[in-house]
Amino acid sequence: MTSGRADANRRRIEQVALTELLRDPDASMDQIARAAGVVRRTVYGHFPSREALIAALVDSAVDAVARAHASGREGVDDPAEALARAALAVWEIADRYRLLVALAQRSVTMEGIRERLTPVREACAAVLQRGLDAGVFASPLPAAALAHVHEQVLFGLMEAVNTGALAPARAGRSAAETMLISAGVPAARAAELVAELEESAEAAGPRRDAAEAVRR
């Protein structure tokens, strides 16, 4: 099998596995192979165990979170806006993978998941430090510790949505507002800023769709 075909098969298996595991957390490797349209041996050729497959899916999720966090804060000078944009962007990814994270805790320890998130946590700490230095944020915690708090907020909200304690439609805004408030931004200002960013994103959506239609 050529490298290109092998890579394509691996991506296909990962995509199907994510869908199947979110539909049925107890889905077997046989089920995943059938859904992907490959033989069981092909799946095991890429992933020696179900745990290895789930770990690979977690790695993909973490990569997506890192890209979202970077895109959210890119080119934004105001630390509060950068933090809010990054939180909103990350939640879109986290919401997609929140059931996977709950599943992964059976085979990938939380310590392992946190280790994978280290680059994102460090980037968050850098934004927080910039805000603390500028007086935009105020916290009794140093930036590195506050970044850990924000990471736990994300996991907590994912669990809250999974258990029905929080509506999914509200979770992204809740994440961004909670992170701003925990960084010392007044609650009213945090709500105002997040609302402004969401309105701006909604307004940009139709413009992007129109531009894509023109290009096509």
Side-chain angles (χ1 to χ4, degrees):
M1 183 183 295
T2 66
S3 175
R5 184 176 177 186
D7 289 344
N9 269 347
R10 182 186 177 93
R11 288 193 299 271
R12 166 71 177 164
I13 292 167
E14 286 190 6
Q15 291 168 357
V16 171
L18 179 61
T19 299
E20 290 299 304
L21 288 168
L22 294 184
R23 182 183 60 80
D24 175 11
D26 295 317
S28 67
M29 296 288 267
D30 284 343
Q31 286 176 258
I32 292 168
R34 286 195 299 271
V38 297
V39 297
R40 179 181 175 184
R41 184 177 60 186
T42 300
V43 176
Y44 277 105
H46 293 286
F47 307 101
S49 67
R50 188 173 183 275
E51 289 72 22
L53 173 57
I54 292 173
L57 293 176
V58 171
D59 286 339
S60 296
V62 170
D63 287 343
V65 165
R67 290 194 299 271
H69 194 277
S71 67
R73 67 180 191 275
E74 184 179 9
V76 182
D77 294 328
D78 175 34
E81 183 178 344
L83 181 62
R85 285 184 180 276
L88 290 170
V90 164
W91 180 258
E92 289 189 17
I93 305 301
D95 186 47
R96 186 184 313 161
Y97 287 104
R98 56 186 165 80
L99 293 174
L100 171 65
V101 171
L103 172 64
Q105 291 177 34
R106 302 182 190 177
S107 55
V108 181
T109 65
M110 282 305 296
E111 181 180 352
I113 294 173
R114 291 192 186 99
E115 182 179 348
R116 288 167 165 82
L117 286 169
T118 296
V120 178
R121 190 186 315 116
E122 291 175 346
C124 179
V127 174
L128 291 167
Q129 187 62 61
R130 185 154 53 92
L132 290 168
D133 292 343
V136 176
F137 299 147
S139 173
L141 297 174
L146 190 54
H148 277 280
V149 171
H150 285 186
E151 183 178 290
Q152 292 309 303
V153 167
L154 183 66
F155 283 123
L157 289 177
M158 291 167 74
E159 182 64 18
V161 174
N162 286 346
T163 61
L166 180 66
R170 173 68 192 175
R173 175 178 291 193
S174 296
E177 290 183 15
T178 301
M179 290 180 185
L180 287 169
I181 293 168
S182 68
V185 176
R189 174 54 188 153
E192 178 185 42
L193 175 56
V194 174
E196 289 172 357
L197 294 177
E198 288 189 326
E199 289 173 5
S200 176
E202 289 174 1
R207 290 198 295 271
R208 285 196 300 269
D209 292 343
E212 290 174 2
V214 169
R215 285 197 295 272
R216 288 197 294 268

